[in-house]
Each structure stands twice: as structure tokens, then as C-alpha cells.
Amino acid sequence: MGAPVPPDSVLVLAGGLSHERDVSLRSGRRVSEALRGTGVEVVERDVDAGLLPALRADRPLCVVPMLHGETGEDGAIREILELLDIPYVGATPAASRAAFDKPVAKTVVTRAGLRTPESVCLPHETFRELGAADVMAALVERLGLPLMVKPARSGSALGCSVVHTAEQLPGAMVHAFAYGAVALLERFVSGTEVALPVIDDGSGPRALPAVAIKPDGGLYDYTARYTAGSTEFEVPAPLSPELSAEVARGAVAAHEALGLRDLSRSDLIIDADGAVWFLEVNVAPGFTETSTVPLSIHAAGLDLGDVVASLVGAAVSRHQDRDRHRDEERHA
Ligand SMILES: Nc1ncnc2c1ncn2[C@@H]1O[C@H](COP(=O)(O)OP(=O)(O)OP(=O)(O)O)[C@@H](O)[C@H]1O
Ligand SMILES: [Mg+2]
């Protein structure tokens, strides 16, 4: 990492300072190898003080941001790429910001007609100002037990807990607040968890097969995500044709409602009555050996490298179209 970027090469950004640094490095490595397999010249690079000078000195053809968690998915790195006018794969800064903020994303997708678990979103200060015990009692009354506590902005299930008894709630809140100043509490939905990517290489967003997630220990937490063999996946998820179509429609609707581009992954739970609940959408989903997006791409009969190469192609031509449009406006 840190090597000069040859012209016409793709720069895969991975690492960063978020809690998901290790996951990002693994995603970055996998995507880089897959892209190289298609004949594309690829450079992998971390995010550090040398990045901006390097991007100015050797402009890549395109950047693939494989940065998870804050700064990767909250739009910050994309703002920098916009400032430098470098093409990149994925959502704009504004769309990334909205998608990364779970309460905001829930509001947007609800307006688009999706169902998302009832929730309450509270900052740390409210507990201090109003007295934690009273606030927590009201939360349990509203959402019932078990309930789900998560940081409003985070990833890889870090800071997330299932709360089974009122006594467990204070600890779960402290855990969530360790990852951010705002917590999202949700009604717990039990059922089958599925994740599915939406890909748009220029011909419109389309959903790839849903992956059913069955963690051995019942919880899809950080360990269940990144320890090989600790979660069983089934792809395509064993769903009726109607439910398959509904989750596909839901993922595309979330992608469109949030104004996302190129690639996203929606996480959903299907309850015992067959109702589909939207949890969240990721703008830089994981591509590690145990991640769901590569499984879905494979199940669709596609090659990972070809898919990423086509997204790079779409991002480069979008950028060229924008330049052309700006030139025309200047000369009009
Ligand atoms: N309301 C809910 N009911 C039941 N389980 C839930 C609920 N919300 C989240 N979960 C569980 O917690 C996990 C983490 O939640 P979520 O996907 O919202 O967080 P994340 O940290 O952003 O994860 P990711 O790595 O997918 O970005 C989910 O994969 C799911 O297993
Ligand atoms: Mg998730």
C-alpha cells in the first residue's frame, strides 16, 4: 500500500480508522484480486495523510471505496473524491450520509412504502437530562421485550444487543453509546434474516439473489459475521416466488428511495407471518470471504471481478458524461 498509482489503474481504498478497519482490509483484498483477474491494473491503498497528495500526483482511472463504517459509508471519503473530481464507484456523499444514518434511512424507506420495525431514536443526553430509569421504562413499555438496541450509525453489528429483560437495557445502552452519541431502539423481529445486493452497471438497478443468514449461535454478531463456519448461508434463500419477488422489489425500492448508485446491500427480516421488515441498507457492503454479497453474485452466475469491473466502467462513463455536460453548459 502507498505505491504510486499508474495511469488507468483502479484504486481500491481499504482500511481507514473505523472500528471496521480489519473487515475493510479483507474486503479490499478480495475485490482487488477479483478485479486483477479481469486484467485491470489495481492498486490498494489505505486512508492516511498521504492519500490526498497521492491522488493529486497520480490520478487513478477510478476509485473503489471498500471502506466500511464511519468515514467510509457516511459520505466523507466520497466528498473528498468529489473535491478532487475523481470518479468512484457507489453512492454520492449526500445519499451515503442518509443511508448510513439508520433512523434517517428508515424514515425515507417508510415513505417509499417499505415496512421497518417500530423504533425510538434517542441521544445520550436525553438519558442524562430526564433520568435514565424513567426513559428506559417508557422505552420497554412502547417497544416490548425482547427489543433491539443499536448505534444509530455503525456497522458489522458493533454496539448492537438484543435486550430480553428490562435489567439488561442499561448495559445495552452503554454498549451502543460506546459507538456513537445516538441510539436506535427497535422492536425485535424474529424470523429469517436475508441480505441481498442491488447492482446497477448503467442499465438500471436490479436485485441479485437473497442470501438467508443462519448464525449457529442465533445472533448475527461480529463473531458470527467474520469467523468462517460460524454462520450458515443459503443462497438463493429458500423463499416462495412471491416472497423472493417482494424482497427484490424492497431492496430496489430502498436503493432508489435513498438515491443510491452502483451497488448497495439491503438487510431484511422475514417474520413468521411472511411480513418483510427492512433493517438497513449498506453503501459499502462487505466483500470478505464470509460476506453475503459475493455469495449472491456467485449464485447469480456472475463473476465477482466482472461485476466490479462493470461498476468501474459505469462510474467512469458517468464521470465522462458529467464532464461533457459541464463543457456543453459552459459553451452554451
Ligand atoms: N429489529 C431487529 N430485530 C431483530 N434482529 C435485528 C433487528 N435489528 C437488527 N437485528 C440483528 O442485528 C444485526 C445487526 O443489525 P444491523 O444490520 O441493523 O446493524 P449493522 O451494524 O449496520 O450491520 P451491518 O454489518 O450489516 O452494516 C442484524 O444483522 C440482525 O441480525
Ligand atoms: Mg446490517
Side-chain angles (χ1 to χ4, degrees):
M1 292 213 174
V5 183
D8 289 342
S9 67
V10 170
L11 181 65
V12 173
L13 284 180
L17 284 180
S18 86
H19 297 292
E20 291 172 87
R21 175 179 174 77
D22 287 349
V23 181
S24 167
L25 289 170
R26 283 152 73 177
S27 291
R29 208 168 306 132
R30 178 124 187 239
V31 162
S32 300
E33 276 166 20
L35 259 181
R36 281 191 195 105
T38 69
V40 173
E41 187 145 7
V42 179
V43 175
E44 281 171 76
R45 202 185 194 293
D46 208 333
V47 177
D48 54 31
L51 179 62
L52 245 83
L55 285 172
R56 283 191 198 280
D58 313 291
R59 291 176 68 81
L61 173 71
C62 185
V63 169
V64 180
M66 272 297 132
L67 299 158
H68 310 316
E70 208 139 19
T71 73
E73 294 191 75
D74 69 355
I77 197 72
R78 293 147 201 253
E79 292 281 21
I80 299 298
L81 297 171
E82 292 281 349
L83 281 176
L84 299 183
D85 203 22
I86 292 173
Y88 58 92
V89 168
T92 62
S96 301
R97 258 194 307 276
F100 187 63
D101 191 304
K102 290 185 171 76
V104 171
K106 279 166 71 84
T107 305
V108 173
V109 303
T110 302
R111 283 190 193 134
L114 300 192
R115 194 189 287 113
T116 172
E118 186 182 358
S119 65
V120 178
C121 177
L122 285 174
H124 188 235
E125 295 82 58
T126 305
F127 290 84
R128 267 216 317 263
E129 284 169 5
L130 301 181
D134 289 334
V135 176
M136 288 196 224
L139 287 168
V140 170
E141 209 171 297
R142 166 57 60 90
L143 299 173
L145 290 169
L147 61 80
M148 194 74 204
V149 180
K150 30 192 183 178
R153 303 163 80 248
S154 186
S156 283
L158 292 166
C160 298
S161 330
V162 185
V163 169
H164 296 276
T165 65
E167 292 69 45
Q168 292 173 338
L169 186 53
M173 299 302 308
V174 169
H175 187 45
F177 286 135
Y179 290 90
V182 181
L184 175 67
L185 293 96
E186 273 184 346
R187 192 175 281 280
F188 187 85
V189 182
S190 58
T192 306
E193 181 164 358
V194 299
L196 71 167
V198 169
I199 303 274
D200 182 359
D201 59 6
S203 49
R206 67 180 174 121
L208 298 189
V211 180
I213 299 165
K214 299 169 193 168
D216 284 353
L219 278 183
Y220 194 39
D221 56 12
Y222 190 87
T223 312
R225 274 158 208 254
Y226 304 115
T227 312
S230 67
T231 295
E232 199 188 310
F233 299 103
E234 196 170 349
V235 52
L239 304 174
S240 65
E242 294 75 27
L243 264 180
S244 291
E246 188 180 340
V247 298
R249 261 198 317 274
V252 170
H255 184 96
E256 288 181 325
L258 284 156
L260 304 183
R261 296 192 306 206
D262 304 336
L263 167 73
S264 68
R265 189 198 76 219
S266 280
D267 297 342
L268 312 160
I269 296 184
I270 303 164
D271 71 17
D273 298 327
V276 178
W277 297 88
F278 169 91
L279 293 184
E280 58 138 3
V281 63
N282 301 272
V283 297
F287 276 81
T288 70
E289 301 303 326
T290 55
S291 297
T292 52
V293 170
L295 290 175
S296 174
I297 288 174
H298 183 72
L302 302 171
D303 173 75
L304 183 57
D306 289 344
V307 168
V308 182
S310 73
L311 296 179
V312 165
V316 170
S317 58
R318 175 170 63 222
H319 195 258
Q320 285 165 348
D321 287 349
R322 193 170 75 176
D323 280 353
R324 208 171 303 127
H325 189 68
R326 281 181 184 162
D327 276 352
E328 281 164 12
E329 279 191 339
R330 218 170 288 134
H331 294 111

